[in-house]
Amino acid sequence: MTMVLRGVGASAGIGLGTAVCVREQDLDYSHVAFSGPEREKARLKEAMETFCARTQAMADDVKARVGEKESEILSGQIVMLGDPFLLSQMEEQIGGGLCAEAALDAVCRSFIDMFSGIDDEMMRQRATDIEDIRTRMLGILLGSGNVDLSELPEHTVLVVHDLTPSMTVGLRRENVEAILTEVGGKTSHSAILARALEVPAVLGIPDLLSETRDGMLVIVDGGKGYAMLDPNSGIQEEYLERRRKQDREKLLLQLYRGRDTVNADGRRLDLYANIGGTADAAAAAAAGAEGIGLFRTEFLFMDRTALPTEKEQYEAYRTVAGQMAGREVIIRTLDVGGDKGIPYLEMEKEENPFLGYRAIRYCLGRPELYKVQLRALLRAGAEHRNIKIMLPLVSGVQELRAARALLEECKAELTAEGREFDGRIPLGVMIETPAAALVADLLAREADFFSIGTNDLTQYTVAADRGNARVEGLCSPFHPAVLRSIRSVIAAGKAAGIPVGMCGEAAADPAMIPLLLSFGLDEFSVSPSAVLAVRREIGRWSDDAAARTADAAMVLDDSRAVEEYLRSAAP
């Protein structure tokens, strides 16, 4: 009998193949005797050197086969393990009489517990990284081998507790039909790697390994987020046809590469890309993005032990501005807080970090830190004049005014130093709090542009954590309250004559596009892989058709009803 397992659809596509279950290694070290503090510290350092050498080789391999961004996940582990604080903690444990294995395990588990307890996907990724470091370091110390996925047979559906970065080394796309895991979300390392490899993936499936056995026939729908175990021949043929259809559509999307983004009436819109680092800018340009709608700058601050210098930040921003010369680059200033775990930023642990001292609040409280970033942005904008600065988590005009005052201070300093900078650099606001949405008319008087961040705006508006599976049904951008907020924000921007974009995941959802067109959104910003599909979808809608569809959707009173109607309304 066919069994359906549900999880998080993390990488779209249909996969059909045979299950290969990869279970955890035996890392029991209870037989290892303590050989004295000096010998145990030497064993630990030898293992760390081996780990770093192997990991660098893995990163080089992933960079060559998959991409630079994905390789940075592995190289980041080298930085983590090399953190002096982590090493001192382990050596302290050894000094207390623990063998190297026990010391490593104790320290890693304390960090895993800390990061896992933080209600933030980025921190859960840190927990995954440390778990990967722990597993591989224990393997080195105990002399056992790493999991090798290079010899998987053709048509494999890989079933694992978690697809760690080190496990992807050697993974051959041509042999893997799909990936299923017990943990992970849409923004986890597993999801990033699966999308980069263009492998369908469903993550976060409870009891996956206990329900699946080697050799089972499995169908995976990575878009809708489920797997079917032991499907009958009729279901198999249905999904094979769906996959053939998807392959044909993927080829047809290439027709939209290099085209302008216009609706069915020929009205021009801006279609930008979201990126998380300098390496992504080339991918965005290659995908046909007309600009960068969200450049997340956190990558410059993560996985290091000191604040990035003004020069380091300047070079990163200038590089992207150059790669996108002639096209806008919207750069979001540092968006971290008590939930992000960056020791050198000296953030205190908070009871509720998502509502705490984070993003623009933290930056305005640390002007000496913030001005380094603002100066770098001003200088980076000098050559191509295409950079725009965006402020995250704004809740009122007071934060916008304070940030603008700091920006003016930076301009005066750079002028006094004789440095070139963009004196007319636009300063905009990311609308992602209910407060900002409700006072959008006030913000629009002083902001140069808006960008709506639907991911946080949705969870804050409906008071439901988007990472909590139990309330996932509530956290929908199709909730009437969220849609009314989006509509009013766009209207406020229009009334003030400033452009309004959207950089949340909703901007790429085909069901949302007629609403956004009808509301008057100027700019869609999506992941590079979604650019062509969104361009095609925008081209299907005339202004009249979008308006009629939006009118019908906005009188519905339930998020599920709204979404079902919009998914059935495509022209």
Side-chain angles (χ1 to χ4, degrees), residues 59-68 71:
D60 294 342
D61 176 72
V62 170
K63 182 177 180 179
R65 291 191 303 107
V66 183
E68 183 173 351
S71 74

Side-chain angles (χ1 to χ4, degrees), residues 253-323:
L253 282 179
Q254 299 308 310
L255 297 173
Y256 292 86
R257 193 176 298 278
R259 289 189 182 184
D260 289 340
T261 302
V262 295
N263 75 347
D265 299 319
R267 181 166 65 89
R268 177 72 188 270
L269 293 112
D270 291 323
L271 180 54
Y272 292 176
N274 301 329
I275 64 172
T278 53
D280 297 339
E290 294 152 8
I292 301 299
L294 172 61
F295 179 4
R296 304 177 182 92
T297 59
E298 291 74 50
F299 84 101
L300 286 166
F301 294 78
M302 304 296 286
D303 301 330
R304 55 188 298 149
T305 57
L307 188 73
T309 65
E310 180 179 322
K311 182 179 180 182
E312 287 177 299
Q313 294 190 57
Y314 162 74
E315 290 293 346
Y317 308 145
R318 186 182 67 85
T319 297
V320 174
Q323 288 174 313

Side-chain angles (χ1 to χ4, degrees), residues 18 90 105 320 323 364 557:
T18 304
M90 293 179 192
D105 194 19
V320 174
Q323 288 174 313
L364 291 176
D557 58 7

Side-chain angles (χ1 to χ4, degrees), residues 468-480:
N468 186 335
R470 291 186 176 183
V471 293
E472 186 180 8
L474 290 173
C475 204
S476 166
F478 297 99
H479 193 293

Side-chain angles (χ1 to χ4, degrees), residues 297-298 300-302 304-314 317 332-337 340 342-347 357-378 389 391-392 403 406-407 409-410 413:
T297 59
E298 291 74 50
L300 286 166
F301 294 78
M302 304 296 286
R304 55 188 298 149
T305 57
L307 188 73
T309 65
E310 180 179 322
K311 182 179 180 182
E312 287 177 299
Q313 294 190 57
Y314 162 74
Y317 308 145
R332 185 179 69 188
T333 61
L334 181 62
D335 186 7
V336 293
K340 290 296 193 297
I342 303 179
Y344 67 83
L345 292 182
E346 300 174 351
M347 298 173 177
Y357 191 55
R358 56 170 291 218
I360 189 65
R361 302 164 185 177
Y362 173 82
C363 289
L364 291 176
R366 295 285 302 277
E368 74 289 350
L369 176 152
Y370 200 27
K371 285 173 68 175
V372 173
Q373 183 171 40
L374 295 177
R375 282 171 56 97
L377 288 165
L378 285 164
I389 299 174
L391 309 176
L406 282 180
L407 195 65
E409 284 183 27
C410 293
E413 290 173 5

Side-chain angles (χ1 to χ4, degrees), residues 35 56-57 153 189 210 237 278 316 357 401 434 448 458 473 533 561:
S35 60
Q56 188 58 57
H189 287 340
S210 62
E237 184 52 42
T278 53
Y357 191 55
R401 289 171 183 163
D448 296 315
T458 298

Side-chain angles (χ1 to χ4, degrees), residues 12 195 198 250 253-254 256-257 261 271-274 283-284 286-290 503-510 513 524-538:
R195 287 193 292 267
E198 297 185 348
K250 192 172 179 180
L253 282 179
Q254 299 308 310
Y256 292 86
R257 193 176 298 278
T261 302
L271 180 54
Y272 292 176
N274 301 329
E290 294 152 8
C503 56
E505 288 183 13
D509 192 326
I513 285 174
F524 294 72
S525 191
V526 302
S527 66
S529 62
V531 167
L532 298 182
V534 172
R535 180 171 291 145
R536 179 183 64 180
E537 194 64 28
I538 288 172

Side-chain angles (χ1 to χ4, degrees), residues 388-404:
K388 299 168 80 170
I389 299 174
M390 181 162 65
L391 309 176
L393 207 75
V394 166
S395 57
V397 293
Q398 69 281 3
E399 290 156 333
L400 174 58
R401 289 171 183 163
R404 194 178 289 282

